Amino acid sequence: MNPTVLPLLVSLRWLAVFMVVLSHVRFMLFANFSQLNEPGPLLKLFYFLTNYGHEGYALYMLLSGVMLGGTSYRRRHAGPSAFGHFKTRMLWFYALLAPALAMGAVLDIFGSRALGASGAYAHFHEFSPAFDLGAFTANFLMVQRFLVPGLGSNAVLFILAFECWAYLSLAAYVLPGRRRLATLAATSIAVAGIALEPEFAGYLMLWLFGLVLAKAGDWPRPSRATAWLVFVGTLLISRFGGAGLAQVPEHYVLVSRLLLDLQLVLGCAVLLIASRACVRQRSGQASLTWRLTRHFPGVHVAIFATHFPFMMFVAAAAHFGLGLPIAGAPSPRAFVAFVCLVIAIYVYGFGFCRLAFFISQRLHGRPAGRVRVAT
C-alpha cells in the first residue's frame, strides 16, 4: 500500500473506534429504539448514527490487516530485525494490556459491589463476575471468546484477541525458519481459532483481506467522489442488512454477516485505492487525527482495551450520585451525559496510551523516541 495513504488509514481507524464507542455509550444511557414512543426524525437519526458498532469492528480488523499485517509482511526477509519488530509490538501491547486489565477489574469489582444497585451491571448481560487469577491470566493471554469470557465487563477485548490471533498466525508464517513448518504453524493457529470460536473466521478473513490490500500493486483508480459514495453506500448496506439478520435462520447468520462485512471492506478498499498518490500530508497541513496518532501511537488499541469498564463505572456512579437513568428515555440531560461520557472515554484512553508507552520505554531501556509502536 502506498505510504501516501497512511493518513487516510489513520483517519479511518479513528472512525472505526469512534463508531464502536458511540454505540456502546448509547447502549448504556438510552433505551432500545423499539422501546421509544413515537420518536421524531432527529431522534431516529441519532439512533441510526450510533448503531454502527459492528461496522466499526469490521473496519478495525481490515485496517489492522493493512497497517499491522502489511508492515510485518514487508519485514519478513529482514532476518533478526523481523523478530525484533514483532517483539517490540508485543511488548508495547502487553505494557498496555496488563494495567488495562487490572484497572478494569478494580472498576468492575468496586462498581458491581458498591454501585450494583444502579442496574448498570445487570443491564450488560455479558458481565462476568469471575475476577480470580485464572480469569485474569486467560484474558492476559488473549483467549477470551476462544476459551473464556472477557474479564468482568470487558467483553470488548474479543476484538483485540481476534487481532492478536490473526497477527500470531502471520508472525508464525513470516518469521525465519523452514517454510513448510511456518505454513503449518500459521495454518494451525488459524484453524484452532476458528474451531474454538467460529465467529473468528469472519474477522480473520477481514484481517487477511487487509493484508492483501497492503500488498496490492497499481490498480485502476476511480475518482475520490465515486469512492466515497461507494464507501458510504456499503456502510448503509451493512447497517440495513445487519438489522434484517434477525429474520435469517440461525445457521445462516454467520455467513450472511460475513457477506455484509466483505462488501463493506470492498467499499473501504475502493476508497483507499482512489486515495493513493492523492493523499499527501505536509507537516504544516497534517490532520487532527494524524497529529493525535503521532503523539499517542496505539491509542486506538488503548481505547478498545479500556473504555467499557470505565464507561460502566462512570454510568453507575452517575446513576448512584446524580440519578441518571441506565438505558433510560431520551432527554436533554441524557444527551449531555452522552457527550461528556464519550469525551471522558477518550481522555481515559489517551492516559492509558501514555502509560503503556512509558512502561514499554522502561522495558526496552531506550529513549522514548526510539520506541516505535503501531499506529
Side-chain angles (χ1 to χ4, degrees):
M1 179 61 66
N2 194 305
T4 58
V5 186
L6 184 58
L8 178 60
L9 288 169
V10 169
S11 296
L12 288 175
R13 210 170 189 198
W14 277 94
L15 175 63
V17 175
F18 190 58
M19 290 192 294
V20 172
V21 170
L22 289 185
S23 69
H24 287 164
V25 177
R26 197 259 296 160
F27 157 81
M28 183 56 57
L29 298 182
F30 291 86
N32 289 334
F33 185 77
S34 60
Q35 298 173 327
L36 302 184
N37 185 23
E38 298 181 359
L42 289 179
L43 194 55
K44 289 180 180 178
L45 179 63
F46 170 75
Y47 271 80
F48 180 75
L49 293 177
T50 57
N51 199 31
Y52 280 85
H54 178 84
E55 285 72 18
Y57 287 136
L59 281 177
Y60 179 84
M61 284 298 286
L62 170 74
L63 297 170
S64 173
V66 175
M67 300 172 73
L68 184 61
T71 302
S72 298
Y73 188 82
R74 285 193 296 273
R75 291 173 177 261
R76 67 191 185 280
H77 297 310
S81 67
F83 178 76
H85 175 73
F86 170 77
K87 177 184 175 182
T88 297
R89 289 183 180 272
M90 295 303 292
L91 186 62
W92 179 89
F93 176 72
Y94 278 107
L96 166 70
L97 183 63
L101 285 174
M103 190 62 190
V106 169
L107 293 176
D108 280 338
I109 292 171
F110 182 78
S112 61
R113 295 177 182 176
L115 307 172
S118 68
Y121 294 89
H123 177 60
F124 183 54
H125 69 275
E126 291 187 44
F127 180 78
S128 173
F131 294 102
D132 54 40
L133 181 60
F136 185 92
T137 303
N139 279 264
F140 185 78
L141 295 176
M142 288 281 103
V143 293
Q144 54 272 68
R145 275 287 180 98
F146 296 103
L147 296 175
V148 297
L151 187 67
S153 65
N154 215 343
V156 182
L157 285 175
F158 87 90
I159 194 67
L160 299 184
F162 285 0
E163 181 185 29
C164 185
W165 279 56
Y167 185 53
L168 286 175
S169 180
L170 175 67
Y173 180 75
V174 302
L175 288 179
R178 295 182 179 179
R179 182 52 47 210
R180 285 187 179 181
L181 184 60
T183 303
L184 177 61
T187 303
S188 298
I189 293 172
V191 171
I194 295 171
L196 292 170
E197 175 50 68
E199 190 179 3
F200 174 60
Y203 285 99
L204 177 61
M205 289 187 66
L206 300 180
W207 200 87
L208 292 175
F209 188 94
L211 176 60
V212 171
L213 188 60
K215 296 167 53 183
D218 292 327
W219 292 355
R221 289 195 296 269
S223 69
R224 295 189 67 188
T226 300
W228 274 107
L229 286 174
V230 170
F231 176 64
V232 173
T234 56
L235 269 176
L236 295 174
I237 291 172
S238 177
R239 179 72 336 255
F240 285 114
L245 289 180
Q247 284 72 48
V248 175
E250 185 176 355
H251 49 284
Y252 291 124
V253 169
L254 279 179
V255 175
S256 301
R257 182 71 265 178
L258 176 60
L259 292 175
L260 289 170
D261 289 344
L262 287 177
Q263 65 86 34
L264 172 61
V265 299
L266 285 172
C268 184
V270 170
L271 179 61
L272 294 175
I273 291 170
S275 300
R276 285 190 306 171
C278 298
V279 182
R280 297 194 180 273
Q281 294 285 347
R282 296 179 181 177
S283 58
Q285 299 177 342
S287 67
L288 175 62
T289 56
W290 177 253
R291 293 197 301 269
L292 285 173
T293 303
R294 297 296 293 175
H295 285 91
F296 298 93
V299 66
H300 318 94
V301 181
I303 293 172
F304 266 128
T306 62
H307 81 272
F308 213 96
F310 176 76
M311 175 192 72
M312 291 196 64
F313 179 81
V314 172
H319 176 85
F320 182 82
L322 303 174
L324 182 71
I326 301 297
S331 66
R333 187 186 186 194
F335 282 106
V336 171
F338 177 88
V339 173
C340 291
L341 186 50
V342 170
I343 294 173
I345 284 171
Y346 274 82
V347 173
Y348 187 70
F350 288 147
F352 258 92
C353 181
R354 295 306 299 175
L355 175 62
F357 191 73
F358 175 80
I359 294 173
S360 62
Q361 173 188 340
R362 291 295 179 268
L363 292 175
H364 272 283
R366 298 176 180 177
R370 293 184 61 191
V371 180
R372 299 179 59 87
V373 298
T375 56

